[in-house]
Amino acid sequence: MELWMYSSKLLERQEGFARLWRGTNASLALAVPTVGIYLPCYDVFRNWVEEFTDRNYPNLTPYAPLVAGSVARSLACIACSPIELARTRMQAFKEFRTGGKLPGISITLLGVLSPLRSKNKVLNWKEYRVLWTGVGAQLARDVPFSAICWSTLEPIRRRLLRLVIDEESNAVTILGANFSAGFAAGTLAAAVTCPLDVAKTRRQIEKDPEKALNTTTKQTIVKVWRSEGVKE
């Protein structure tokens, strides 16, 4: 009896520890297409915008990273939004049955559609929009994030590289300059867009599909602010 209780507690601890990595498969499935769309598109758009502005509007050339980052991130967000939805749902999933198996990406997305299927056996294309729940909040978060990040990172990186590159510079020095620029730009962008990340998560874990489709990002932020903000 004591051995069984010890084994049960040990298994429970192991499962609890493992659940800190819940949604890892969705994160990996999300990373490949996101990076595959985002970074190549950023390079292509940045080069195109820089060439265009150099020829026609030289004063606007410094804004090329901002425009390229915004457009590239928009494409990546829209294309990968259903996987992002699945990851958020999987991370927020609560299973009360002992030994219950956590749902995968496909089962999670089918679960999003199931309330609508119970009403209509055949879904029209408008009802499939529920798989893009929170995409507006995600764009409102990721596009400014990319715009702030790239428009801040590029000038900081160039300035730091000018300061550190000389005859004695090495790979470590260059790596440190790039890391410092990325850290500063990423920190600023994350701090500015964090409230929108909260709104995105709240919308994606909403169980009522009708409410999820009809609620805006602004309404979500206002609701969080009024119900959970600092009270006197």
Side-chain angles (χ1 to χ4, degrees):
M1 184 68 175
E2 293 180 357
L3 179 61
W4 178 83
M5 292 178 63
Y6 174 77
S7 300
S8 298
K9 290 181 180 180
L10 180 61
L11 180 61
E12 184 178 348
R13 290 177 182 177
Q14 290 175 343
E15 287 180 348
F17 182 75
R19 288 186 180 185
L20 292 175
W21 278 263
R22 181 183 294 171
T24 300
N25 56 341
S27 297
L28 294 174
L30 180 65
V32 174
T34 299
V35 175
I37 296 171
Y38 181 35
L39 294 182
C41 287
Y42 170 75
D43 286 334
V44 171
F45 292 144
R46 185 194 61 190
N47 293 336
W48 184 84
V49 173
E50 285 181 347
E51 291 176 3
F52 178 80
T53 54
D54 282 340
R55 291 194 305 265
N56 301 282
Y57 308 98
N59 293 334
L60 299 179
T61 300
Y63 299 98
L66 185 151
V67 176
S70 300
V71 176
R73 193 64 186 181
S74 297
L75 294 176
C77 286
I78 294 171
C80 302
S81 183
I83 305 177
E84 173 73 20
L85 173 64
R87 183 182 67 168
T88 303
R89 290 287 186 106
M90 291 167 69
Q91 290 175 339
F93 180 78
K94 294 182 179 180
E95 177 58 69
F96 298 102
R97 294 178 301 165
T98 303
K101 186 178 180 181
L102 297 176
I105 298 174
S106 58
I107 295 177
T108 301
L109 293 179
L110 288 174
V112 175
L113 294 172
S114 60
L116 295 174
R117 286 185 180 276
S118 62
K119 297 179 180 179
N120 302 312
K121 293 183 179 180
V122 178
L123 301 180
N124 57 46
W125 66 272
K126 291 183 178 180
E127 291 172 321
Y128 279 102
R129 289 184 306 154
V130 73
L131 295 179
W132 276 262
T133 297
V135 68
Q138 188 177 354
L139 287 171
R141 178 201 67 177
D142 285 5
V143 172
F145 182 96
S146 295
I148 295 170
C149 184
W150 288 112
S151 61
T152 307
L153 185 147
E154 295 286 3
I156 293 177
R157 178 167 59 183
R158 290 170 184 169
R159 182 169 297 182
L160 289 177
L161 289 176
R162 284 198 297 267
L163 293 175
V164 301
I165 291 181
D166 52 31
E167 296 179 356
E168 300 180 356
S169 62
N170 51 38
V172 176
T173 304
I174 296 173
L175 179 62
N178 283 294
F179 175 83
S180 300
F183 178 81
T187 300
L188 176 62
V192 172
T193 59
C194 186
L196 295 166
D197 190 30
V198 173
K200 176 196 75 72
T201 302
R202 293 297 180 93
R203 292 196 62 194
Q204 289 183 330
I205 62 175
E206 174 59 53
K207 294 182 179 180
D208 185 350
E210 295 293 337
K211 186 176 180 181
L213 287 173
N214 296 324
T215 303
T216 65
T217 301
K218 180 180 178 181
Q219 290 172 337
T220 304
I221 293 176
V222 170
K223 181 179 179 181
V224 173
W225 174 265
R226 289 178 176 176
S227 62
E228 302 175 27
V230 179
K231 298 180 180 179
E232 296 181 357

